[in-house]
Amino acid sequence: MESPAPILEAVAGGLARLLAQVTGKPPAAGPLPEQSKEWNRAKQQLGRSGLAGKLGLNEDELHRMDQALHEAIRRASGPAESEIDRRNLLISALRLATHLERAAERVAGFSFVALVEPKLGEEAAQTRVRALELVLRSLISESYRTQAALLERLKSIFKAEVVERWKKLSGGGDVLTGMAFSEVASLFVNQEEFARYHPLFAETVFLQLLRDRRRTLQDFLDGVRSVRNTLAHHKQVAPLQLRLLELYYEEITSPVGESYARGATQVNPAEYLEPSAEELRAFTERLSLDLREVEGDLGQLKRSLEATQKKVSALEGSLLFLFLSIGWFVFSIGVAMVSMPGPDEGLDLTRASDVAARAMRGMFIAAMTFAVALARILFNVLWVAKGRGQAVAALLAGNRGRAVFAAFAALTVAYYWVPVGGVMGGHLVQTPPGAAAILLDEKALTRYLDEGGDPNAKPYGTSLLQSAILGSGPLSRSGLPSEAEAAPKRRRVVELLLARGSIPTDDDVKMAENMNRRELVPLLRAAQKR
């Protein structure tokens, strides 16, 4: 195996030139640890969003570049005594180099080409991608033994119509052949499912780039997916991608081969490395078919988001109208209440009646306006009202007129809070299920991300993660959200987005808390700490 030193030196120089290009300062000489310090200074000076903008990266890409740099520094700073240490150092350096090559495509005046000589050609790359697909499918089939057991498990994880679609695409054979590579890979590295395959990888020296073998495998399979997408688009695979594919293939299949040798599995990866011309041609056609399906699902996702945005826009109008109505209504009542004497002053009914008469016109106008707003949001009012009684009762316990006014104001705010699904940042609003719910199609979202879609995108003003938190799933016959069906879907979509690099904000966490999405809060907080 080649020494990682040349690529580390090239990456350090490339990072120095990139930082000089975006900051306007002379490039700082030094090895990669020194360039890491310069990188952190640039983030402090420009801010994450400012640096991402100058690099032409989105937040997810900047996060991934951060992770790649951190991993390369960790590996370069430690001893590389064994062959596997040098191998992991090489992989981490090559992964960082891919980010520099991406930046070279987007930053004017910056160029970077990693001089690597992959042993694989285009046909060999196709062979290894195909072999990895077959290895994963074979291991899953071996674990479940029968199609009936596999189908039962799939139906417990996914919707019945999704599984039926896979069965239809498989032509009545192995249901796994109807699933896309990303779907098979996601199933394989799922935290619960991976327990089935962990013994095959537990004792190997491979898959130790990250601190957890499952996460390492997940990252490597994501890299394979990127190469597969490039092949599906009939584009030339870059030398860096080819070299990484070669390493990824060895890292993933070597433990399986070792397990096969000791009789722990009947799956032999070597059997898939020599496909016939017909088998390879069929695989190439399958790539094109998968690409057409991805494009169709992306259109479906876009239409779903467009329809939801119309709902959100209508809700925003209701929000402004309602707040103006509430403000006018509460102000009118407040004038009457504050003008009334307290118990210590003695209650003068004549004076109170006089005050009420003077405020009658304003209160009548306010009440009529409020009635119109209430009709527009009646469903949301009824839902939000549940569980608020105790807080309101405590506020109503005061004796003075001003306390009554405060209690009424709190009652109004608590009962008639308008759900806008995070439009106000999640600080003062709450979104019940069914209100402004973005019904994300899980399949379409997966394919969108597999095609390199930005998990932090805000295509219509609402981020995909906010959409997932808001999503209420299908409606029951009564028209109310079916929470039993919605909750697991929300969790799967949120886990998918977080696994693909979606970065939750404090507003997202507050939105989940306000909406009583307790099962999502730990996931979002954990992702913030990564």
Side-chain angles (χ1 to χ4, degrees):
M1 178 177 292
E2 69 268 33
S3 169
I7 189 68
L8 281 172
E9 184 178 350
V11 166
L15 186 57
R17 289 185 286 104
L18 177 61
L19 290 173
Q21 188 69 29
V22 299
T23 61
K25 299 178 181 179
L32 197 56
E34 292 299 319
Q35 301 308 322
S36 177
K37 295 177 182 178
E38 294 297 323
W39 172 263
N40 291 331
R41 290 192 190 100
K43 281 196 296 184
Q44 291 174 354
Q45 293 172 1
L46 301 173
R48 288 188 63 86
S49 59
L51 180 59
K54 287 183 174 290
L55 294 176
L57 306 177
N58 59 42
E59 185 64 30
D60 174 57
E61 290 170 332
L62 183 67
H63 176 68
R64 288 177 177 270
M65 189 170 181
D66 258 337
Q67 287 184 319
L69 177 58
H70 174 76
E71 188 59 40
I73 293 296
R74 185 173 76 88
R75 289 288 174 183
S77 301
E81 299 174 351
S82 67
E83 180 68 20
I84 198 65
D85 288 336
R86 289 189 289 274
R87 180 187 185 87
N88 285 327
L89 178 56
L90 175 63
I91 293 175
S92 64
L94 290 171
R95 283 157 64 92
L96 180 56
T98 60
H99 291 281
L100 291 175
E101 283 198 345
R102 182 183 295 112
E105 297 173 356
R106 305 177 186 181
V107 179
F110 173 69
S111 62
F112 178 83
V113 177
L115 299 178
V116 296
E117 297 183 3
K119 300 175 184 177
L120 301 180
E122 290 280 335
E123 184 173 318
Q126 291 182 356
T127 299
R128 278 160 176 74
V129 171
R130 172 184 175 275
L132 281 170
E133 287 192 38
L134 294 175
V135 167
L136 294 183
R137 288 173 180 157
S138 298
L139 289 174
I140 295 172
S141 296
E142 180 184 57
S143 175
Y144 282 94
R145 300 193 178 188
T146 66
Q147 280 288 296
L150 175 58
L151 284 169
E152 182 179 356
R153 177 56 176 159
L154 290 176
K155 289 177 181 177
S156 71
I157 302 175
F158 305 99
K159 287 187 174 182
E161 56 264 33
V162 174
V163 179
E164 287 301 317
R165 180 172 180 270
W166 290 336
K167 288 174 62 178
K168 183 178 180 180
L169 290 173
S170 68
D174 182 3
V175 66
L176 295 173
T177 62
M179 298 171 66
F181 173 75
S182 61
E183 294 166 336
V184 175
S186 296
L187 177 65
F188 190 83
V189 298
N190 175 275
Q191 193 161 3
E192 294 180 3
E193 286 293 299
F194 190 67
R196 292 174 169 272
Y197 319 108
H198 180 264
L200 303 178
F201 303 94
E203 304 300 328
T204 183
V205 297
F206 296 97
L207 296 176
Q208 296 190 61
L209 179 70
L210 306 180
R211 301 183 189 277
D212 178 70
R213 280 195 172 92
R214 185 185 69 84
R215 290 295 303 275
T216 303
L217 178 60
Q218 185 178 29
D219 260 30
F220 287 0
L221 287 174
D222 191 55
V224 174
R225 176 196 57 78
S226 179
V227 175
R228 191 182 189 279
N229 288 343
T230 301
L231 293 171
H233 283 90
H234 304 290
K235 295 180 179 179
Q236 184 176 4
V237 184
L240 260 179
Q241 284 186 302
L242 289 173
R243 184 67 182 106
L244 279 170
L245 174 63
E246 181 181 354
L247 292 167
Y248 290 160
Y249 179 82
E250 293 172 355
E251 290 274 322
I252 296 170
T253 60
S254 294
V256 181
E258 294 167 358
S259 298
Y260 173 77
R262 64 173 186 267
T265 178
Q266 297 301 310
V267 178
N268 181 12
E271 294 180 359
Y272 304 116
L273 272 181
E274 296 182 359
S276 65
E278 179 62 24
E279 289 172 331
L280 200 57
R281 185 187 63 79
F283 173 71
T284 304
E285 291 178 354
R286 169 69 187 271
L287 289 178
S288 300
L289 178 62
D290 287 350
L291 180 60
R292 289 195 296 272
E293 292 177 0
V294 166
E295 290 171 348
D297 286 341
L298 286 176
Q300 182 180 352
L301 176 63
K302 183 177 180 180
R303 289 190 296 272
S304 174
L305 291 174
E306 285 175 342
T308 302
Q309 182 57 27
K310 292 179 181 178
K311 299 178 184 178
V312 173
S313 299
L315 201 55
E316 290 175 5
S318 297
L319 172 68
L320 178 60
F321 187 63
L322 179 69
F323 276 1
L324 290 175
S325 303
I326 290 175
W328 181 255
F329 188 46
V330 172
F331 175 74
S332 301
I333 295 178
V335 170
M337 288 294 186
V338 174
S339 299
M340 292 180 66
D344 56 330
E345 301 174 64
L347 183 60
D348 185 342
L349 294 178
T350 304
R351 182 184 172 194
S353 300
D354 183 57
V355 171
R358 290 200 303 268
M360 185 62 69
R361 179 175 297 181
M363 291 179 64
F364 176 76
I365 296 173
M368 292 298 294
T369 308
F370 185 72
V372 175
L374 182 61
R376 294 179 64 178
I377 61 158
L378 181 58
F379 171 77
N380 300 324
V381 168
L382 294 175
W383 189 91
V384 177
K386 295 180 180 179
R388 304 288 182 179
Q390 293 182 353
V392 173
L395 287 170
L396 287 173
N399 294 322
R400 299 178 58 83
R402 292 178 180 83
V404 174
F405 164 64
F408 186 88
L411 175 68
T412 304
V413 172
Y415 274 74
Y416 304 109
W417 216 258
V418 178
V420 295
V423 174
M424 299 294 291
H427 292 291
L428 300 176
V429 297
Q430 185 177 31
T431 307
I438 293 186
L439 308 178
L440 288 175
D441 183 283
E442 188 176 351
K443 171 92 173 184
L445 178 61
T446 300
R447 291 188 178 279
Y448 165 75
L449 295 172
D450 287 346
E451 275 297 288
D454 179 11
N456 293 290
K458 295 183 178 181
Y460 300 99
T462 304
S463 73
L464 294 178
L465 188 57
Q466 289 174 344
S467 301
I469 297 171
L470 288 169
S472 66
L475 300 181
S476 65
R477 292 182 179 179
S478 66
L480 299 176
S482 176
E483 183 63 15
E485 294 180 332
K489 174 181 178 179
R490 278 197 302 266
R491 184 181 181 94
R492 289 198 303 271
V493 174
V494 169
E495 287 178 338
L496 171 62
L497 287 168
L498 294 179
R500 296 299 182 86
S502 183
I503 302 173
T505 65
D506 290 340
D507 290 341
D508 297 333
V509 177
K510 289 179 180 178
M511 181 189 297
E513 291 174 339
N514 290 339
M515 294 175 59
N516 202 28
R517 308 283 202 249
R518 294 190 180 94
E519 76 280 3
L520 301 181
V521 173
L523 298 177
L524 298 172
R525 291 196 185 281
Q528 284 185 312
K529 297 177 181 179
R530 288 188 305 195

